[in-house]
Amino acid sequence: MLPLRHTRRWQFASLILLVSVLLAAVSPAIWFLDDRASALRWIQNIDKWMHATTFAVLALWFAGLYRRGAYWRIALGLIAFGLLIELCQLQISYRTADWADVAANAGGIMAGLVIALAGLGGWGRRFEDWLVQRSEQ
């Protein structure tokens, strides 16, 4: 992890983020819509983009907290997390597991880490520095 001022808080926020993603992945997908047929069509069309976007955000989140040398660990950890989600979905009657979801997750992870390498990596330390500067004003 990067030398951050609030390491425990970042770790707690990371845990909350991962648990939130897991809970969203195992909750019923159409609980918020009355028209289930149109909801299913919408979900099938947007599902892979949602997976990719979610895992890109997760990759960027962790790339903000860890050094570049740990990006491969971030990638492996998030791939394992994606597999855990799919295994959980296998156990639930109202969800389905899909290898295409795992591929979308991997694509999102790669995109997130490329964006991190392009300059957004280490954002956690910059954010903490900004907060310190702001409090000194």
Side-chain angles (χ1 to χ4, degrees):
M1 191 166 222
L2 291 171
L4 299 166
R5 291 176 182 88
H6 305 288
T7 302
R8 294 272 187 223
R9 290 179 183 166
W10 289 114
Q11 290 171 335
F12 182 71
S14 298
L15 178 63
I16 295 299
L17 181 61
L18 290 172
V19 168
S20 297
V21 169
L22 179 61
L23 289 175
V26 298
S27 64
I30 55 176
W31 61 269
F32 57 90
L33 294 171
D34 291 333
D35 184 5
R36 292 179 190 262
S38 67
L40 287 173
R41 279 192 303 278
W42 181 81
I43 289 169
Q44 288 170 350
N45 293 333
I46 198 77
D47 180 56
K48 302 309 175 254
W49 286 105
M50 289 172 53
H51 277 270
T53 301
T54 299
F55 277 81
V57 168
L58 288 173
L60 279 170
W61 173 267
F62 287 105
L65 306 178
Y66 289 89
R67 300 179 194 276
R68 283 185 179 207
Y71 285 8
W72 67 272
R73 289 185 183 127
I74 292 170
L76 288 179
L78 289 176
I79 288 170
F81 180 65
L83 289 170
L84 171 68
I85 287 172
E86 296 305 313
L87 288 173
C88 289
Q89 288 180 344
L90 269 176
Q91 306 304 314
I92 301 171
S93 63
Y94 53 84
R95 294 293 242 174
T96 58
D98 187 0
W99 283 109
D101 290 346
V102 175
N105 296 347
I109 293 164
M110 288 190 315
L113 293 177
V114 166
I115 293 168
L117 288 169
L120 279 181
W123 62 264
R125 191 163 186 195
R126 292 191 299 272
F127 180 73
E128 285 189 344
D129 291 343
W130 176 78
L131 286 176
V132 168
Q133 289 175 354
R134 187 172 174 206
S135 69
E136 291 173 354
Q137 293 177 358

